[in-house]
Amino acid sequence: MSSAPRIGFVSLGCPKALVDSERILTRLRAEGYDVVGSYEDANLVVVNTCGFIDDAVHESLDAIGEALARNGKVIVTGCLGAKPETITDLHPSVLKVTGPQAYEDVVAAVHEQLPPLHDPFIDLVPPQGIRLTPRHYAYLKISEGCNHRCTFCIIPSMRGDLASRPIGEVMLEAERLVKAGVKELLVISQDTSAYGADLKYATGFWGGKPVKARFTDLARSLGSLGAWVRLHYVYPYPHVDEVIPLMAEGKVLPYLDIPFQHGSPRVLKLMKRPAHAENTLERIARWREICPDLTLRSTFIVGFPGETEQDFQLLLDWLAEARLDRVGCFKYSPVEGAAANALPDPVPEEVKQERWERFMELASEISAGKLAAKVGRRMRVLVDLVGDDGAIARSAADAPEIDGTVKIFKPGKLEAGDWADVEITGSDDYDLIAKIAR
Ligand code: SF4
């Protein structure tokens, strides 16, 4: 069994409650929780209740009692949560009761009782992910595990080889999310562009039509749902070229999150990175010709064992030419059980720090230049939050939590989850400032 925190889940009630359950589970799985099938294996159990008729109330109360008896740590949510005393009178030891459709509260309660593990080399969402997530976007996990063996990573040993979800199941979940009000789908996995390889790209059915379990077909089908579709954790395999025209046509967001990790072929080889032999600079230039608005986000590791000053300089040169829009950088630190621990020539901490600072200086200079070029442009944004000082929104170029934002002053009657058409009036290193477009 993996060391990830383990959640048991009991879902009762109507299809609407089922959608809520799926949203809670999608969120928890994206944060690295394992969902297990027995009370005994779980560290904590969430019971999503129904309170529509008396029978349903009894069934819910029985389910809570059973979870308490067999596990002991129980969080209750769903319709019956609207009348918390019905639950706490009978079961005073439940840890928390939240109401219907309050999935942000359930996730927060889980965080409180059973915090997620965070490892920047493993996690699919950042530590800030424990903030409450607005309900207008959702993570859509399309596969688990990975067929690669990057030397700094232990995911394959923890989660196994690539196991893709059938295309019909992914599309059904995406469709339900959009019907429930989600306006942005964030596609996640360990290796999104490898989607379906383990299924031999098997044909599934969605809406009565055949669809293949392939990255491009998935992107195209998701793009037909009318929500923003953002692709994360894409490796630059040759077939990634096929989604760029979909981006140019506005079917999926012109945004690619590609964890390049380095720019030196020698270090990439030491890392055993997938697609390390691809000429990424040429590919990026071609993608931008087809889709000039393409935003590229990536993460890098500096100070990997054996990285010389010359390798690092190659990385800086690569970044200067690639001019990526959004960049994160980690200083290498050994992960227990990773093959890279056995590599010779570790880089001293102070050298790692110095390289990290030089890297980030260049990255923020590029980011500031790119954002300044957007001043005066009009764009459509999705509002995440409205406060006294204005609204915080995101454009197609901004993934939640990890990228910048668009701050709108005097937003008028906007609410979280609204679309807005804005004109960009200013910028700094990572964020844009805007006003409502007339
Ligand atoms: S591609 Fe590499 S870094 Fe990513 S999950 Fe697979 S082994 Fe780990």
Side-chain angles (χ1 to χ4, degrees), residues 121 145-156 190-191 235 237 259 261 271-274:
F121 293 127
C146 177
N147 285 346
H148 300 291
R149 297 294 180 262
C150 300
T151 51
F152 56 79
C153 176
I154 54 167
I155 282 180
Q190 313 296 341
D191 184 357
Y235 289 100
Y237 306 124
Q261 306 299 15
M271 291 177 167
K272 290 205 180 149
R273 292 294 288 165

Side-chain angles (χ1 to χ4, degrees), residues 77-322:
T77 185
C79 292
L80 197 55
K83 293 182 241 152
E85 59 297 338
T86 316
I87 299 161
T88 47
D89 283 353
L90 191 66
H91 299 301
S93 59
V94 294
L95 298 170
K96 176 102 183 170
V97 178
T98 66
Q101 292 170 45
Y103 22 77
E104 295 93 342
D105 296 354
V106 189
V107 172
V110 172
H111 290 155
E112 216 172 87
Q113 299 294 335
L114 185 63
L117 293 180
H118 179 69
D119 183 324
F121 293 127
I122 293 174
D123 284 4
L124 295 170
V125 288
Q128 309 89 284
I130 58 174
R131 272 176 38 189
L132 302 186
T133 304
R135 58 186 57 183
H136 51 273
Y137 63 78
Y139 295 93
L140 182 68
K141 193 163 190 173
I142 58 168
S143 61
E144 185 55 89
C146 177
N147 285 346
H148 300 291
R149 297 294 180 262
C150 300
T151 51
F152 56 79
C153 176
I154 54 167
I155 282 180
S157 64
M158 284 169 57
R159 302 192 185 172
D161 284 342
L162 179 74
S164 304
R165 297 173 62 197
I167 182 99
E169 191 184 306
V170 174
M171 286 309 302
L172 207 61
E173 178 178 346
E175 198 176 17
R176 279 186 187 146
L177 289 169
V178 174
K179 279 189 185 148
V182 164
K183 293 183 172 159
E184 177 177 3
L185 294 165
L186 300 129
V187 178
I188 55 167
S189 70
Q190 313 296 341
D191 184 357
T192 294
S193 32
Y195 173 68
D198 55 310
L199 304 174
K200 302 207 168 37
Y201 310 111
T203 301
F205 286 87
W206 173 59
K209 290 197 188 126
V211 202
K212 269 190 179 296
R214 271 182 81 241
F215 173 62
T216 318
D217 302 61
L218 173 70
R220 191 178 295 112
S221 302
L222 289 172
S224 70
L225 293 173
W228 273 4
V229 176
R230 196 180 291 283
L231 302 172
H232 287 282
Y233 309 98
V234 174
Y235 289 100
Y237 306 124
H239 67 271
V240 170
D241 294 0
E242 296 168 15
V243 295
I244 308 296
L246 295 178
M247 294 179 173
E249 288 164 29
K251 299 265 174 22
V252 294
L253 286 180
Y255 180 102
L256 271 181
D257 175 4
I258 305 183
F260 287 111
Q261 306 299 15
H262 216 281
S264 153
R266 203 182 69 84
V267 176
L268 287 168
K269 213 167 165 197
L270 286 173
M271 291 177 167
K272 290 205 180 149
R273 292 294 288 165
H276 70 262
E278 293 292 324
N279 186 339
T280 44
L281 287 172
E282 248 176 44
R283 302 274 300 289
I284 290 171
R286 228 177 318 132
W287 293 343
R288 285 187 173 136
E289 266 169 36
I290 299 165
C291 182
D293 270 342
L294 179 66
T295 296
L296 288 170
R297 140 162 280 277
S298 190
T299 48
F300 293 87
I301 298 172
V302 293
F304 189 75
E307 181 194 64
T308 61
E309 177 56 30
Q310 199 187 359
D311 290 317
F312 179 67
Q313 196 53 54
L314 272 177
L315 168 60
L316 288 185
D317 294 347
W318 186 94
L319 181 63
E321 192 172 339

